[in-house]
Amino acid sequence: GISFDGTGLGDDGHIWGGEILICDLEGYNRFTHFGYVPMPGGDKVTKEPWRSAVSYLYKTFGKDFYDLELDFLKSIPRYKTDMLLEAIDKKINSPLSSSCGRLFDAVSALINLCPVSQFHAEAPMRLESIARENIHQAYSFHLNDTIAFDPAIREIVADLQQHVPQSVIAAKFHRTMINVIFASAEKVRHETGLNKVVLSGGSFQNILMLEGAVKKLTNHGFEVFVHEKVPANDGGIALGQLAIAAKRRK
């Protein structure tokens, strides 16, 4: 099960949303997941994606990110970002998150596409909408016990400094996510023999990522399951809970 979403409470008390699970109706094992990143301000990050961008930059570059002279930071007063870093350092209202949605937010803000959202999920929606077609390059990542995007953040910043268009960066980022899905599924198959992949969670409303992942997985012999009659996002949760409860009642 590949579960990509915005916010869900994990069994370790942290916020989940970028999970690779080995599961059935009776239980699950968290095989790997996106590396945790603090979300300063809690739920406020959903309305101000620049917060997620700053958190990813701080994790990747430390305070040296101030020297990068990124455009999106020019519209944010320095005292605000300083307060954010202090909140992260002191663990004040900065829950750890492995969320795929927050990573999309971060990239959308990082390229100065949507630092502040006017409606729910605007940042990832805009990122998908501008992605240029027929771009096959992707960014790097590390896949082990966790999936680390530090290399991707560094490469996106390098592209920005080379004045690569937003549309190309957006396309390369989507290709990266497709590669993450495929590499994770390959790792699971290699270690367990499992060949069935279920793609679920609100992030899979992103057609570019969904169709790209299905195509790549199918071409490499995976049996792929996606949503048809039940929503991939919150609208499908109750049905899943009901199925699990019914199995446990047996």
Side-chain angles (χ1 to χ4, degrees):
I2 297 181
S3 178
F4 286 178
D5 210 329
T7 304
L9 182 61
D11 61 21
D12 58 358
H14 299 316
I15 304 301
W16 288 13
E19 319 306 316
I20 314 300
L21 306 170
I22 297 174
C23 51
D24 56 22
L25 290 175
E26 295 181 318
Y28 66 91
N29 171 45
R30 193 185 190 202
F31 184 80
T32 187
H33 59 89
F34 289 13
Y36 284 126
V37 177
M39 292 291 109
D43 281 345
K44 209 165 186 180
V45 295
T46 63
K47 297 179 180 178
E48 298 182 352
W50 66 267
R51 291 171 175 264
S52 296
V54 167
S55 188
Y56 268 97
L57 287 169
Y58 190 36
K59 180 177 183 291
T60 304
F61 294 97
K63 288 188 177 180
D64 290 344
F65 79 84
Y66 279 127
D67 300 328
L68 299 173
E69 297 186 355
L70 297 167
D71 285 344
F72 87 96
L73 287 173
K74 296 174 183 176
S75 61
I76 300 163
R78 172 70 180 253
Y79 78 89
K80 282 194 172 184
T81 52
D82 285 343
M83 285 175 57
L84 239 66
L85 302 191
E86 187 175 2
I88 290 171
D89 289 340
K90 294 183 177 179
K91 298 180 171 60
I92 299 171
N93 194 23
S94 298
L96 296 178
S97 174
S98 63
S99 165
C100 178
R102 297 296 79 78
L103 176 59
F104 269 85
D105 281 353
V107 173
S108 190
L110 184 57
I111 66 173
N112 206 27
L113 180 66
C114 186
V116 178
S117 292
Q118 302 302 316
F119 55 87
H120 180 67
E122 179 186 2
M125 289 168 69
R126 290 185 65 182
L127 195 65
E128 178 187 6
S129 71
I130 68 160
R132 186 178 297 179
E133 295 182 11
N134 300 318
I135 298 291
H136 301 292
Q137 302 105 306
Y139 298 114
S140 307
F141 58 91
H142 297 309
L143 170 58
N144 290 298
D145 293 338
T146 61
I147 303 166
F149 291 97
D150 303 45
I153 298 298
R154 288 184 179 276
E155 291 168 12
I156 290 170
V157 168
D159 273 355
L160 287 170
Q161 292 175 332
Q162 294 295 319
H163 306 292
V164 173
Q166 289 176 324
S167 58
V168 174
I169 295 175
K172 289 172 70 174
F173 175 68
H174 278 80
R175 180 61 55 186
T176 304
M177 299 307 296
I178 292 165
N179 289 348
V180 166
I181 293 166
F182 174 70
S184 301
E186 278 275 74
K187 186 173 171 65
V188 171
R189 181 163 66 179
H190 176 73
E191 295 186 19
T192 69
L194 286 171
N195 198 54
K196 293 180 178 180
V197 183
V198 178
L199 306 177
S200 189
S203 296
F204 283 109
Q205 293 179 108
N206 183 314
I207 297 300
L208 194 59
M209 182 171 70
L210 176 65
E211 291 184 347
V214 170
K215 182 178 180 181
K216 188 159 189 174
L217 290 165
T218 303
N219 287 345
H220 286 82
F222 285 97
E223 188 177 359
V224 185
F225 299 84
V226 298
H227 289 263
E228 291 183 354
K229 297 180 180 179
V230 179
N233 62 343
D234 292 356
I237 290 176
L239 181 60
Q241 291 172 328
L242 192 64
I244 291 167
K247 179 68 174 179
R248 288 182 177 179
R249 280 175 64 89
K250 283 185 178 180

